[in-house]
Amino acid sequence: MYVQVDVKPSSGSMVEIELVATNTGSNLALHWGALQPGRSEWVVPPAGIRLPEGTIRTPDDAALRTPFKNSGSNSTLKIEIDNQGLESIEFVIVDEAQNKWFKNNGQNFQVHMRPPAGHHHQGQQHSATAGSIGRKNRDVMQLLSKNASTNDQVNKAAEATPSKCTVLDLFIKSLQEKHGSQVLCKKVFKLGEKEILALMSQVQGSTKVHLATDHVEPLILHWALAQKPGEWKAPPPGIVPAGSTLLEIACESPFSDAELNGLHYQVLEIELDDDSYKGMPFVLRSNQTWIKNSTSDFYLDFSRRTAKSSEGTSDDSKGTAKALLERIADLEEDAQRSLMHRFNIAADLVDQAKDAGQLGLAGLLVWMKFMATRQLIWNKNYNVKPREISQAQDRFTDNLQSLYKMYPQHREMLRMIMYTVGRGGQGDVGQRIRDEILVIQRNNNCMGGMMEEWHQKLHNNTSPDDVVICQALMDYMNSDLDIKVYWDTLNKNGITKERLLSYDHPIHSEPNLKSEQKEGLLHDLTNYMRSLKAVHSGADLESAIGTCTGYTSESQGFMVGVEVNPVKGLPSGFPELLKFVLDHIEDKSVESLVEGLLEARAALRPLLLSSTERLKDLIFLDIALDSTVRTAIERSFENLNNASSEKIMYFISLVVENLALSTDDNENLLCCLKGWNHALEMSKHSDDQWALYAKAFLDRTRLALATKGEEYHDILQPSAEYLGSLLGIEQWTVNIFTEEIIRSGSAASLSLLLNRLDPVLRNVANLGSWQIISPVDVAGYVVVVDQLLTVQHKSYDKPTILVVEGVKGEEEIPDGVVAVLTPDMPDVLSHVSVRARNSKVLFATCFDPKILSELEQNEGKVLSLKPASVDISYREIPESELLVSSSIDTVDGQKAPSLSLAKKQFLGKYAISAEEFSDEMVGAKSRNIAYLNGKVPSWVSVPTSVALPFGTFETVLSDKINKEVSQKVKILTEKLDQGELGALSEIRNVLLNLTAPTYLVSELKEKMQSSGMPWPGDEGEQRWEQAWTAIKKVLASKWNERAYLSTRKVKLDHSNLSMAVLVQQIVSADYAFVIHTTNPSSGERSEIYAEVVKGLGETLVGAYPGRAMSFVCSKNNLESPKVLGYPSKPIGLFIQKSIIFRSDSNGEDLEGYAGAGLYDSVPMDKEEQVVLDYTTDPLVTDCSFRTSTLSSIARAGYDIEQLYGGSPQDIEGVVKDGKIYIVQTRPQIGGEELEVDELLDLQQLRRHILDHLRVYLVVVGVVVEVRRDGCVVGDTTHAAAAPLDCSPNIPILSSPAAARLGSHPAAALGGEAGCESSSRDAVH
């Protein structure tokens, strides 16, 4: 039902209010009154009102009741008011036939009759879904939860607080470690508060049975051997322990006292004589008291072998609470006896799980999930009363409730465990299952057949299957006794005929009921379902609401005398809100229902965060509300097929909110929610950027889902695999365990909605199906891989197109790869993107899963790929067409010269100022910064810099105070030379033990202070140690895996790599940016491309997920930047006043080798990670601020390019309080996109010049030579301009390439590396 309210002026001061209710019944009435300004009491009947026909006063004289008039499927009502003293009317709507009251979230609806003073209007229109709740206008961030720990913190905590070892744990350990025993099988049995361990081991061909117990009183083992189940056979005399007494079919052996680590225990050892025995039955005797396993014998099953990993020789248990999982496996046989046993065992294990941290709770969840999905036996040869099951559930969930109160960081995991377990309850909650089935049978005369068989099952081993059976019976009767419907409901919920027959009390028969029994049975089974769900269902909404809001039984024979009191302290209007939800639970249009569910969850949240009485009931209610949101959203998918983009975005916002309410660390999701709300407003106001903006939040939301999925996989999957192997769970079930956990939550629904919206947004924003990062026409064999990281150092022997699921941004492109296609979204200026462009590899992100799937299906085939601006066309070609292009460096039959590094020498200084930077002392990073200082425009700043020059590291390492470190590094380097790559991390760790010589400290202090930089040591010795540690990390990064393998790949001598350290004061950035002054994607030289992130630039140049804001700007119109994409990075890095130490090696800008970004830059202080809220970021929301900031960034890039004679630059910088700071610049590799014929021409020109020309620069007393290999020799820091001296014997070439070089032919001499950058202005 939908209600529309129109308020419009009539003649004079008359106001007319018209209400129209659509899709209604025939008995609606308006329960209403009027309000005066500043008053809350209704005026009844108000003067000046023409009361509509049929209006009556209510018996208490407090309101009016007016019937609606029916008109087809609509109902209408009109009220005329001529009284300026009235401000508004308030009302609720009543369905008098069903006694239903429709309210506004528990409050009255209110309609204002006149606008505020000073506002003119032609009429007002209000609309709402009938009974639709009005969402409270709360700040989204009120839903914030930041309790979760990272996986590393969780694992460290688990390692730091291991569960306390029992004497039985120590006993097993001693067997394995001291005696070398292999444990073949083991089992732990409960002896009240104590335990007995029985295990079989093997050592040096001898097989033994060991029994150990922490029981205090002396024990006698009454035992036998069995060659088949149930057999008691006396053991041979030769194997009985000393002091034993042989009986007819058994043997009695006394335990001996022992001690381990001060802990007392009793032990007994039996050596077996052959391997034909299947097991050992036994009981215990203490004095004259016999001790049994509940009512059965104890039994050690020799055939049930323990997984090898329990021997400590396997990594199967890595990433798990191993001891807990093995204990669960030991107790599983007992747990299979009944659900009562299982839940009691689980309750006993809660403390051990808690001690193991999140991994312990993950183990409990995996075990309970295996149970809930029927992978484990629920009942075997044991009759148990329903009330005993519900009491065991109650005990287990009470323990979980206690953890929920004490450990907020584990609430998400605890909710998931409780979801798999029914609510349970003390007293007669479970007993009603047993009693009420008798009432049903008696009332409806169905005492035999299937109903009697079900009755016997219910009496002795009720389970969650009974909820399904009850539903199947109800569906069967509602279908006019169609037996096919009965089986469809069972099978759809995982219950087959074989399962029905497998119960201890099997159900053989089908229902065979009569039509005259239908009405009574439906009535009674509907009531009975409440009892079943109260025990077995953790996510049933109706029973969860009833438990929290209270109810009194009214159905004779059912819930007799049961009265459940409401939970105290429920929010005002909360019961009415829950009633609204139940009234609309079956609505076809689910929007109002979902709004109501979410409003209920938001209202419930404060109670869930406190130590509320009956917290468990509220948790189960929240779980049920969450589950109902998911099922409602899934029900709406068909209706959304032709929905508008706004409608889909609104549903996405609802599901994101639901997911946030179920997540411990939900700040990122809440920022996504705010983004979706903002995108909706932009769309409603026809903002031309709405689709581009929404696409960024779609990408961020997808990233949040992927991150959550990875987190679940890391925490849960190892436990599923290890426990699954211990319990013999089918492998296919184990393989999809985490996937099924995700599918059962809101994340799966959200993913489907995002997939629906994505193509719409791409179409509106003209984004196409691809983002082309490196456009190259290629052909090759298709190979599908999961992660680029896993194949980055592989060499493919033929041209290969990689279709890759995951690309982080810092990987290398493998040899032989001609294309990388991925759904992942690395930044256009990320390391891997730059690598792809440098290597002329096609690199692109595909946004369309269908296209990506088609490409994957072509694995092994040869495809030709041709990129356009926003698309890639491809076709299959025969292998004969596959042509491998030769490298440009093989022109004229010559191979490119191999790369080499000249080892840098220590020139006697441990620290130098920027004025001393030279080619022999620092790398291009430092020299370029020094060159820019004083040359950039006044509105651009360059940070003050000093450096630790080349050779400093080697000199410090050779100092006698670091002799031990030096020796270790030498040994590890020899290992590395022999191919042991594990030595890399060892070298880095060893180097962190370097001690700084006093002369290094004093020189660095003097240079920093004289340059105006703060000296860390002035703040205390600890601050200097922080700085020195950061310096050592930079120096040690020479041995990081990526850098080492990269140099080896191009055959560079790693020992010749020298590392200088550039020291700069950190600018506490508002934004960081990277500029390429030639568009790297298109090669357009007239266009600047840049990416911007909030905070420090590490999230841009490092492997941080998400996209930066990207824009282009024409060099001819720097005032009009064009945004290509809004940011989707969830994390920003921020730091206060600090120092950063930047790597500056002699290999980072070597020609033909893109070494930039391989080595580390390390700040002295740790950056703060902040979850970014772009809805409050002016760069995103303020068009004027955005244009001004991006324009300034583009202008800075253009001006710096001009300082280098128009040579394309790769520039990094930051923005602080509107001011631009440049922190480094280097030549843009691949920036000059010349045509092939021009490249050939340039190659010839280059060789021609180097073969015939020696170029000299006049430099303040120093001669600088450009060698035949194009490298500059000498110090060019202070180079003065000198004309190029060309001999008349050397012909001057006239060519397109030469013309392109303009006034800077030095670009033809050596590229950007090896040649001093600042010398370019000296050559003309």
Side-chain angles (χ1 to χ4, degrees):
M1 183 170 64
Y2 190 85
V3 178
Q4 180 171 302
V5 184
D6 287 322
V7 180
K8 52 190 176 183
S10 187
S11 57
S13 60
M14 180 78 71
V15 175
E16 184 180 283
I17 302 172
E18 183 174 16
L19 297 91
V20 178
T22 60
N23 301 318
T24 68
S26 58
N27 295 283
L28 288 188
L30 194 75
H31 185 87
W32 63 287
L35 291 177
Q36 296 173 333
R39 302 289 299 275
S40 60
E41 301 84 8
W42 284 7
V43 180
V44 180
I49 293 182
R50 298 177 186 174
L51 296 178
E53 184 179 349
T55 299
I56 60 172
R57 288 173 178 265
T58 57
D60 58 4
D61 233 17
L64 299 174
R65 182 75 63 90
T66 303
F68 280 78
K69 292 184 177 179
N70 296 321
S71 176
S73 63
N74 295 343
S75 300
T76 62
L77 190 153
K78 185 183 294 183
I79 304 172
E80 293 180 341
I81 299 178
D82 187 5
N83 185 332
Q84 295 188 2
L86 299 179
E87 180 179 64
S88 60
I89 69 165
E90 280 192 351
F91 65 89
V92 294
I93 297 174
V94 185
D95 185 334
E96 295 180 314
Q98 299 185 48
N99 194 27
K100 282 189 177 181
W101 293 69
F102 300 111
K103 304 182 78 173
N104 182 18
N105 192 20
Q107 306 297 319
N108 299 328
F109 292 98
Q110 189 176 96
V111 176
H112 289 272
M113 293 182 287
R114 293 176 176 80
H119 288 252
H120 178 72
H121 73 99
Q122 296 299 319
Q124 305 174 59
Q125 187 176 80
H126 308 260
S127 61
T129 305
S132 70
I133 56 96
R135 295 298 308 272
K136 287 186 178 178
N137 188 21
R138 62 172 61 83
D139 181 0
V140 164
M141 300 312 289
Q142 290 178 0
L143 307 179
L144 179 64
S145 174
K146 295 183 72 171
N147 294 316
S149 302
T150 64
N151 287 356
D152 288 342
Q153 290 171 325
V154 168
N155 291 336
K156 285 177 184 175
E159 292 166 9
T161 56
S163 56
K164 184 179 178 182
C165 281
T166 67
V167 69
L168 301 185
D169 295 328
L170 295 173
F171 175 73
I172 295 175
K173 190 174 181 182
S174 70
L175 279 179
Q176 293 174 326
E177 293 180 356
K178 294 180 182 178
H179 305 293
S181 297
Q182 177 187 359
V183 176
L184 301 178
C185 65
K186 65 184 176 76
K187 186 165 178 56
V188 177
F189 302 94
K190 298 290 290 183
L191 301 178
E193 295 297 314
K194 303 298 182 179
E195 296 176 330
I196 184 168
L197 165 71
L199 67 83
M200 183 167 70
S201 73
Q202 191 171 62
V203 59
Q204 298 179 348
S206 175
T207 303
K208 297 180 180 181
V209 173
H210 307 266
L211 295 104
T213 177
D214 55 358
H215 195 273
V216 178
E217 291 80 13
L219 288 176
I220 300 293
L221 180 72
H222 185 89
W223 62 285
L225 293 172
Q227 291 180 323
K228 59 184 179 181
E231 182 180 45
W232 276 73
K233 185 176 180 180
I239 71 168
V240 299
S244 297
T245 302
L246 268 173
L247 305 175
E248 185 178 350
I249 61 169
C251 179
E252 289 195 342
S253 305
F255 281 79
S256 301
D257 290 330
E259 184 178 310
L260 273 172
N261 290 5
L263 299 173
H264 296 278
Y265 68 105
Q266 298 183 65
V267 66
L268 179 63
E269 181 180 294
I270 303 167
E271 185 168 351
L272 302 179
D273 58 345
D274 66 51
D275 58 0
S276 64
Y277 303 114
K278 303 301 181 185
M280 187 178 94
F282 64 93
V283 293
L284 301 166
R285 182 161 54 82
S286 176
N287 296 319
Q288 300 305 312
T289 303
W290 290 94
I291 302 172
K292 304 188 75 174
N293 185 20
S294 189
T295 58
S296 304
D297 299 332
F298 297 101
Y299 186 75
L300 178 62
D301 186 350
F302 295 165
S303 64
R304 190 170 177 272
R305 297 301 168 101
T306 299
K308 288 182 181 180
S309 51
S310 65
E311 302 162 27
T313 60
S314 169
D315 284 332
D316 290 353
S317 62
K318 187 177 180 181
T320 74
K322 180 174 183 284
L324 173 69
L325 298 187
E326 293 183 350
R327 185 153 176 76
I328 288 172
D330 288 339
L331 295 169
E332 174 58 29
E333 188 175 336
D334 281 344
Q336 291 180 359
R337 299 171 73 184
S338 74
L339 291 177
M340 176 194 73
H341 289 82
R342 187 175 297 281
F343 292 134
N344 276 327
I345 290 169
D348 291 338
L349 292 175
V350 165
D351 275 346
Q352 186 178 348
K354 174 201 69 178
D355 292 340
Q358 189 156 5
L359 294 180
L361 296 176
L364 268 188
L365 171 60
V366 169
W367 187 37
M368 290 295 103
K369 189 68 175 177
F370 282 157
M371 174 208 69
T373 53
R374 303 187 179 93
Q375 299 302 312
L376 301 173
I377 295 171
W378 287 356
N379 191 272
K380 184 167 68 175
N381 303 323
Y382 195 93
N383 293 336
V384 61
K385 299 179 179 67
R387 70 165 178 268
E388 293 171 331
I389 295 176
S390 65
Q391 287 169 357
Q393 286 173 294
D394 199 48
R395 178 170 170 252
F396 180 34
T397 51
D398 273 348
N399 290 353
L400 296 176
Q401 173 187 250
S402 296
L403 294 188
Y404 190 96
K405 290 178 181 179
M406 291 188 293
Y407 300 97
Q409 70 270 28
H410 296 322
R411 284 175 175 163
E412 184 176 345
M413 189 72 70
L414 290 163
R415 281 171 48 90
M416 294 166 72
I417 298 171
M418 293 175 78
Y419 181 85
T420 65
V421 182
R423 184 180 301 102
Q426 291 288 345
D428 68 346
V429 175
Q431 185 61 28
R432 291 198 303 269
I433 291 177
R434 192 172 189 177
D435 295 343
E436 290 169 7
I437 188 64
L438 288 170
V439 176
I440 293 173
Q441 288 182 283
R442 185 174 60 247
N443 286 354
N444 299 279
N445 192 25
C446 49
M447 301 301 292
M450 177 267 170
M451 291 297 290
E452 179 58 27
E453 292 169 355
W454 186 34
H455 165 211
Q456 291 303 318
K457 177 193 181 302
L458 290 162
H459 262 235
N460 296 291
N461 43 58
T462 183
S463 70
D465 282 1
D466 294 316
V467 176
V468 179
I469 293 170
C470 186
Q471 187 62 56
L473 283 169
M474 293 163 65
D475 292 346
Y476 160 69
M477 287 179 287
N478 277 320
S479 66
D480 290 329
L481 309 181
D482 185 346
I483 196 64
K484 183 176 180 299
V485 172
Y486 169 78
W487 285 110
D488 284 347
T489 299
L490 291 178
N491 294 336
K492 188 169 58 178
N493 290 278
I495 298 180
T496 61
K497 183 175 291 187
E498 290 73 23
R499 184 167 180 83
L500 293 176
L501 294 172
S502 72
Y503 300 142
D504 278 1
H505 294 270
I507 299 177
H508 298 274
S509 309
E510 294 181 337
N512 183 21
L513 301 168
K514 300 175 182 177
S515 55
E516 56 265 27
Q517 295 172 297
K518 175 180 173 181
E519 184 177 350
L521 266 173
L522 274 174
H523 175 271
D524 288 354
L525 287 174
T526 300
N527 285 302
Y528 189 53
M529 183 69 92
R530 178 187 287 179
S531 296
L532 290 171
K533 287 182 175 179
V535 173
H536 295 304
S537 176
D540 178 62
L541 185 60
E542 185 176 2
S543 62
I545 289 176
T547 301
C548 291
T549 59
Y551 59 82
T552 302
S553 172
E554 296 177 358
S555 301
Q556 186 177 2
F558 293 91
M559 318 282 278
V560 177
V562 173
E563 184 172 342
V564 176
N565 295 319
V567 174
K568 295 178 181 178
L570 293 177
S572 174
F574 193 65
E576 291 84 356
L577 179 56
L578 295 178
K579 184 177 184 303
F580 165 84
V581 166
L582 288 177
D583 288 344
H584 292 266
I585 200 75
E586 299 296 334
D587 284 2
K588 187 174 182 181
S589 176
V590 302
E591 189 172 326
S592 294
L593 170 63
V594 174
E595 288 172 345
L597 290 162
L598 290 176
E599 187 62 29
R601 293 197 71 194
L604 192 59
R605 183 175 176 77
L607 296 179
L608 294 172
L609 301 180
S610 61
S611 296
T612 309
E613 183 184 355
R614 291 175 60 185
L615 176 61
K616 181 173 70 173
D617 292 333
L618 297 177
I619 296 171
F620 275 114
L621 174 57
D622 190 56
I623 289 171
L625 292 166
D626 175 15
S627 178
T628 308
V629 171
R630 179 178 57 81
T631 54
I633 291 293
E634 291 173 356
R635 200 166 75 234
S636 73
F637 281 158
E638 186 176 345
N639 294 336
L640 290 174
N641 283 337
N642 300 309
S644 66
S645 55
E646 284 185 12
K647 175 70 77 174
I648 298 174
M649 282 197 291
Y650 181 60
F651 269 78
I652 287 172
S653 72
L654 295 175
V655 183
V656 170
E657 181 180 354
N658 191 58
L659 193 58
L661 285 165
S662 303
T663 303
D664 280 344
D665 192 3
N666 65 5
E667 188 173 9
N668 185 31
L669 285 170
L670 293 179
C671 288
C672 289
L673 176 57
K674 293 182 72 174
W676 285 111
N677 290 340
H678 190 68
L680 269 168
E681 289 302 310
M682 291 174 70
S683 177
K684 289 175 182 176
H685 291 91
S686 302
D687 188 313
D688 61 4
Q689 295 282 295
W690 78 265
L692 202 59
Y693 178 90
K695 180 65 170 71
F697 276 94
L698 185 145
D699 293 341
R700 180 171 177 175
T701 307
R702 269 186 177 154
L703 182 60
L705 292 180
T707 302
K708 196 66 182 174
E710 289 171 7
E711 178 187 321
Y712 279 166
H713 188 275
D714 292 345
I715 294 172
L716 299 177
Q717 194 61 31
S719 294
E721 291 174 3
Y722 187 54
L723 186 59
S725 71
L726 296 177
L727 299 181
I729 303 297
E730 290 185 87
Q731 192 59 47
W732 69 268
T733 302
V734 172
N735 293 343
I736 63 170
F737 182 86
T738 304
E739 186 181 333
E740 288 302 308
I741 288 282
I742 294 169
R743 281 181 182 170
S744 66
S746 294
S749 303
L750 180 55
S751 182
L752 290 172
L753 288 170
L754 295 175
N755 290 342
R756 289 198 180 191
L757 184 62
D758 193 359
V760 176
L761 297 181
R762 285 190 279 108
N763 181 54
V764 174
N766 298 313
L767 294 176
S769 298
W770 295 85
Q771 179 174 22
I772 315 298
I773 297 171
S774 174
V776 186
D777 290 5
V778 299
Y781 294 86
V782 176
V783 173
V784 179
V785 298
D786 184 47
Q787 298 291 323
L788 184 59
L789 188 67
T790 61
V791 297
Q792 64 175 335
H793 299 302
K794 183 175 179 178
S795 290
Y796 292 89
D797 57 4
K798 51 189 177 183
T800 300
I801 297 167
L802 287 183
V803 182
V804 187
E805 180 64 28
V807 176
K808 299 300 182 187
E810 288 196 327
E811 300 92 338
E812 297 292 327
I813 304 292
D815 287 342
V817 168
V818 296
V820 177
L821 310 176
T822 177
D824 226 332
M825 298 174 288
D827 290 309
V828 173
L829 300 184
S830 67
H831 177 85
V832 70
S833 301
V834 172
R835 284 286 187 276
R837 288 191 291 270
N838 295 345
S839 306
K840 303 301 178 195
V841 169
L842 171 61
F843 188 33
T845 293
C846 180
F847 298 115
D848 191 330
K850 292 182 180 177
I851 294 176
L852 206 65
S853 177
E854 289 172 3
L855 285 166
E856 289 172 347
Q857 290 169 18
N858 282 289
E859 185 166 19
K861 297 178 181 177
V862 180
L863 297 185
S864 169
L865 307 179
K866 292 187 178 295
S869 59
V870 291
D871 204 357
I872 293 179
S873 60
Y874 62 91
R875 63 185 179 89
E876 186 177 357
I877 60 173
E879 289 184 278
S880 58
E881 285 188 34
L882 185 59
L883 301 176
V884 182
S885 300
S886 299
S887 166
I888 187 67
D889 287 321
T890 60
V891 177
D892 295 341
Q894 299 181 24
K895 290 187 177 181
S898 61
L899 298 173
S900 63
L901 282 173
K903 190 174 182 67
K904 299 292 184 178
Q905 302 301 316
F906 180 62
L907 299 182
K909 293 184 177 182
Y910 287 93
I912 57 176
S913 63
E915 292 75 21
E916 300 172 272
F917 290 177
S918 70
D919 176 58
E920 292 304 315
M921 300 190 81
V922 292
K925 188 182 293 182
S926 299
R927 300 197 308 272
N928 285 334
I929 281 296
Y931 173 71
L932 288 179
N933 204 10
K935 294 183 177 65
V936 292
S938 59
W939 52 274
V940 176
S941 293
V942 178
T944 303
S945 304
V946 301
L948 303 177
F950 291 139
T952 299
F953 163 66
E954 290 80 4
T955 305
V956 169
L957 183 61
S958 63
D959 194 290
K960 61 182 181 182
I961 61 174
N962 290 309
K963 182 179 179 181
E964 186 178 344
V965 174
S966 178
Q967 289 173 341
K968 289 181 179 178
V969 170
K970 183 179 178 182
I971 293 170
L972 290 169
T973 303
E974 290 172 357
K975 282 186 177 181
L976 185 62
D977 291 341
Q978 293 168 8
E980 294 185 35
L981 295 181
L984 287 168
S985 61
E986 294 183 63
I987 292 174
R988 294 198 302 272
N989 289 330
V990 167
L991 290 175
L992 294 180
N993 295 315
L994 282 171
T995 299
T998 54
Y999 30 85
L1000 181 150
V1001 179
S1002 60
E1003 284 191 35
L1004 181 58
K1005 177 180 180 179
E1006 189 276 324
K1007 290 298 181 184
M1008 289 180 70
Q1009 289 180 332
S1010 63
S1011 299
M1013 297 174 68
W1015 171 244
D1018 289 343
E1019 301 176 46
E1021 184 62 24
Q1022 182 185 358
R1023 293 291 287 163
W1024 160 246
E1025 286 300 326
Q1026 279 182 255
W1028 176 235
T1029 298
I1031 292 169
K1032 288 186 287 187
K1033 287 180 178 178
V1034 175
L1035 297 172
S1037 70
K1038 172 181 174 179
W1039 282 273
N1040 75 52
E1041 283 78 2
R1042 188 158 58 91
Y1044 177 79
L1045 292 171
S1046 183
T1047 56
R1048 194 173 72 171
K1049 186 176 177 181
V1050 293
K1051 296 181 173 58
L1052 279 174
D1053 187 345
H1054 187 259
S1055 63
N1056 285 344
L1057 187 90
S1058 298
M1059 185 73 74
V1061 180
L1062 175 63
V1063 185
Q1064 293 179 321
Q1065 195 166 353
I1066 288 180
V1067 179
S1068 182
D1070 299 323
Y1071 304 99
F1073 58 81
V1074 173
I1075 306 168
H1076 278 190
T1077 58
T1078 289
N1079 189 327
S1081 295
S1082 65
E1084 180 54 60
R1085 299 173 66 223
S1086 66
E1087 195 170 65
I1088 288 171
Y1089 176 89
E1091 292 184 344
V1092 187
V1093 294
K1094 195 167 177 62
L1096 299 177
E1098 180 60 23
T1099 59
L1100 181 54
V1101 298
Y1104 282 76
R1107 282 267 174 85
M1109 173 178 277
S1110 57
F1111 72 95
V1112 291
C1113 195
S1114 169
K1115 294 176 182 176
N1116 297 322
N1117 185 7
L1118 294 171
E1119 302 303 319
S1120 302
K1122 178 186 177 184
V1123 175
L1124 299 179
Y1126 284 94
S1128 62
K1129 287 185 179 290
I1131 296 294
L1133 298 178
F1134 296 85
I1135 200 167
Q1136 297 304 312
K1137 183 180 179 181
S1138 190
I1139 304 292
I1140 189 167
F1141 302 90
R1142 298 182 184 275
S1143 59
D1144 192 22
S1145 76
N1146 62 337
E1148 289 190 49
D1149 292 299
L1150 191 65
E1151 180 189 6
Y1153 171 63
L1158 287 177
Y1159 308 100
D1160 296 342
S1161 295
V1162 183
M1164 191 174 84
D1165 298 284
K1166 186 173 177 60
E1167 306 100 328
E1168 179 189 5
Q1169 285 198 3
V1170 176
V1171 178
L1172 298 175
D1173 179 3
Y1174 292 114
T1175 65
T1176 60
D1177 182 359
L1179 192 66
V1180 174
T1181 60
D1182 186 331
C1183 182
S1184 176
F1185 178 86
R1186 180 169 61 246
T1187 299
S1188 171
T1189 302
L1190 300 187
S1191 179
S1192 295
I1193 291 170
R1195 184 173 295 281
Y1198 177 78
D1199 288 348
I1200 290 170
E1201 184 183 62
Q1202 295 308 301
L1203 286 175
Y1204 286 92
S1207 174
Q1209 294 294 299
D1210 174 354
I1211 304 163
E1212 294 180 24
V1214 299
V1215 181
K1216 174 66 176 175
D1217 297 330
K1219 189 171 182 64
I1220 303 292
Y1221 294 80
I1222 300 300
V1223 297
Q1224 73 176 64
T1225 186
R1226 63 169 70 92
Q1228 180 182 335
I1229 300 174
E1232 301 262 7
E1233 296 292 340
L1234 303 179
E1235 297 297 327
V1236 172
D1237 60 341
E1238 293 184 70
L1239 285 167
L1240 295 172
D1241 198 6
L1242 177 58
Q1243 189 82 356
Q1244 293 168 350
L1245 170 64
R1246 181 176 179 180
R1247 263 198 301 277
H1248 180 85
I1249 292 175
L1250 294 176
D1251 282 342
H1252 297 87
L1253 179 66
R1254 291 172 65 84
V1255 180
Y1256 293 87
L1257 298 179
V1258 181
V1259 185
V1260 196
V1262 180
V1263 174
V1264 181
E1265 178 186 356
V1266 180
R1267 302 193 312 242
R1268 290 177 60 86
D1269 62 2
C1271 289
V1272 177
V1273 180
D1275 186 345
T1276 65
T1277 306
H1278 304 289
L1284 186 67
D1285 184 11
C1286 295
S1287 166
N1289 294 325
I1290 301 173
I1292 301 298
L1293 298 183
S1294 174
S1295 70
R1300 289 278 292 276
L1301 291 172
S1303 61
H1304 288 270
L1309 299 180
E1312 76 281 359
C1315 296
E1316 170 56 46
S1317 301
S1318 58
S1319 69
R1320 294 186 178 183
D1321 275 359
V1323 181
H1324 64 137

